[in-house]
Amino acid sequence: MLILKMMEQIASEDHMKKHYLDLKDMPFYAGLCKYMSSGPILAMAWEGQNIVKLVRMMLGETNPADSKPGSIRGDLCINIGRNIIHGSDTLENAKTEVDLWFKPEEFVNYTPCAQPWLYE
């Protein structure tokens, strides 16, 4: 796993509405967008084999009550609408979300020196 890019920022409520557009029909949508735009966030782009699955394991279940201890949501969250962290659920959604948060020219293109030791 490799963090390709991260940036701390305060996102506008309109930006969060774009980010969570797939949840627009959920009852917690408006509150979630307002909550996520109420303070700084750390946007990150990750890369690696099975990256979506691995990151979502670290995050825990969408409903914090269903999350395992040791996961971020399992240890630090109580409500779905206040679960403090978001992770893309598919590689396609991850690409869309990365494009929403970062410009292509902001990425540094390199091969980590440990790559041959980590991947076949």
Side-chain angles (χ1 to χ4, degrees):
M1 291 178 26
L2 174 68
I3 297 176
L4 296 176
K5 179 78 176 154
M6 65 179 156
M7 177 176 51
E8 183 180 24
Q9 63 181 290
I10 296 178
S12 69
E13 196 168 338
D14 285 340
H15 192 88
M16 295 313 304
K17 286 178 180 177
K18 290 177 192 170
H19 180 83
Y20 288 115
L21 189 60
D22 61 322
L23 300 176
K24 72 180 187 319
D25 296 326
M26 301 300 281
F28 56 84
Y29 173 73
L32 175 63
C33 293
K34 186 176 182 90
Y35 168 71
M36 292 300 290
S37 63
S38 68
I41 57 103
L42 182 62
M44 293 189 281
W46 293 66
E47 176 180 80
Q49 289 181 352
N50 299 314
I51 195 64
V52 171
K53 180 180 179 181
L54 292 172
V55 168
R56 292 192 63 85
M57 284 174 37
M58 288 190 302
L59 300 183
E61 300 297 322
T62 301
N63 184 348
D66 297 333
S67 296
K68 294 179 181 176
S71 68
I72 294 169
R73 291 175 178 152
D75 289 352
L76 303 173
C77 303
I78 298 171
N79 300 106
I80 291 176
R82 301 289 186 269
N83 69 20
I84 75 167
I85 196 160
H86 169 81
S88 304
D89 58 347
T90 66
L91 197 52
E92 294 76 26
N93 285 344
K95 290 175 183 175
T96 300
E97 292 171 2
V98 166
D99 289 345
L100 182 63
W101 292 96
F102 303 107
K103 297 175 184 149
E105 62 270 15
E106 294 176 330
F107 289 89
V108 176
N109 189 8
Y110 73 102
T111 301
C113 61
Q115 186 166 341
W117 301 105
L118 298 174
Y119 300 108
E120 294 182 300

